[in-house]
Amino acid sequence: TSYLDDQKGLGYWPNVMRHVEPGTIVIIELGPNDKSHTKDENGKFSPEMFKANLLTMYNDIRNAGGEVVFAGVSVDANKFVDGKIYLENAWTCELNHYKEEFAELVGADYITCEQALADFYNEEVVRLGSTENVVGYYFRDSRYMLGDHDGENGITYSFEGITPENVYTEGNFEEKVDKNGNKLGYAYDATHTNIRGAEVVAQKFYEAIVASDSILKAYTK
């Protein structure tokens, strides 16, 4: 993964390791970008390289006295089939399989909430009227990012509902900027969540921790 590359990753991994000491719990969740950057000499995704990267991270943390929890919290909403998200069609599904397989191999915890997220989004298709509106409502989309960036309160987000003004129409929306020229979002992005989507992911991951036997469960209420 580029996260381990000092050039592409800008030293991210060393910055993480500076904070790891005996008893530290590190949650590792690698998503689509890791799949696109973990390629063999033929330019294809390499499961072997991906697992080797996981092993590097795992060994670094364990050697520093830390604990590792592998997580799966990424649902790719680019591929709705018949109005539903099916995890087996998601770009991230293969990565989740390898993470779970690796966690079992080294005896580490693996916590996933992908199915719960997919179920939630599928229920929202009915409420919001279309798969496109689910993407616009929970993922990074300029149709639901309103207002100016004032430097104190940040960007104002409006999630009050689907209206004729912001309902999805293909080609209708372009990337928007605020008065300072800061980008507010993308016209269509079905991988990265907005604030509303992030809150849903956090809640589903918390519920998955509570339902698990993970070392993280001791820190829940």
Side-chain angles (χ1 to χ4, degrees):
T1 175
S2 60
Y3 204 77
L4 293 173
D5 190 314
D6 284 340
Q7 296 301 314
K8 296 179 181 178
L10 304 177
Y12 292 150
W13 187 242
N15 287 337
V16 170
M17 289 306 303
R18 288 193 191 97
H19 299 281
V20 179
E21 56 188 35
T24 300
I25 300 174
V26 180
I27 302 173
I28 296 179
E29 199 283 334
L30 301 176
N33 290 336
D34 300 284
K35 186 173 183 179
S36 64
H37 284 93
T38 309
K39 297 179 179 180
D40 59 22
E41 61 274 10
N42 297 316
K44 295 183 178 180
F45 169 67
S46 169
E48 292 74 21
M49 291 175 64
F50 182 71
K51 291 179 181 179
N53 291 333
L54 292 181
L55 183 61
T56 295
M57 293 178 170
Y58 178 80
N59 284 339
D60 284 353
I61 294 167
R62 294 294 290 155
N63 289 337
E67 299 282 352
V68 181
V69 174
F70 292 97
V73 300
S74 180
V75 173
D76 178 7
N78 277 298
K79 295 182 179 179
F80 280 92
V81 178
D82 297 327
K84 289 187 176 181
I85 293 177
Y86 295 93
L87 290 183
E88 59 267 27
N89 296 322
W91 195 35
T92 56
C93 185
E94 187 177 14
L95 285 187
N96 295 332
H97 169 74
Y98 290 129
K99 282 185 288 187
E100 183 174 16
E101 186 177 79
F102 181 83
E104 183 176 353
L105 178 66
V106 298
D109 290 343
Y110 176 75
I111 304 174
T112 176
C113 64
E114 284 98 340
Q115 188 60 60
L117 285 170
D119 291 343
F120 174 84
Y121 294 136
N122 289 336
E123 291 174 0
E124 286 293 86
V125 171
V126 176
R127 184 176 75 87
L128 297 179
S130 72
T131 57
E132 291 89 352
N133 283 333
V134 169
V135 174
Y137 203 57
Y138 291 104
F139 291 78
R140 195 165 62 180
D141 192 312
S142 60
R143 289 170 290 150
Y144 299 89
M145 294 182 177
L146 308 174
D148 294 325
H149 193 290
D150 60 15
E152 181 179 350
N153 299 316
I155 299 170
T156 301
Y157 292 79
S158 176
F159 304 107
E160 296 306 316
I162 305 300
T163 70
E165 288 72 35
N166 63 25
V167 70
Y168 177 80
T169 303
E170 188 172 1
N172 245 15
F173 298 90
E174 298 178 356
E175 190 167 310
K176 298 181 182 296
V177 297
D178 64 20
K179 63 183 179 181
N180 298 315
N182 298 309
K183 294 179 180 180
L184 295 181
Y186 297 88
Y188 196 89
D189 182 341
T191 302
H192 303 91
T193 62
N194 53 32
I195 289 178
R196 169 64 65 86
E199 290 175 347
V200 173
V201 172
Q203 179 62 37
K204 296 302 180 184
F205 187 57
Y206 174 81
E207 292 171 2
I209 293 172
V210 172
S212 74
D213 294 323
S214 166
I215 55 176
L216 292 175
K217 187 174 182 177
Y219 299 90
T220 63
K221 294 182 180 180

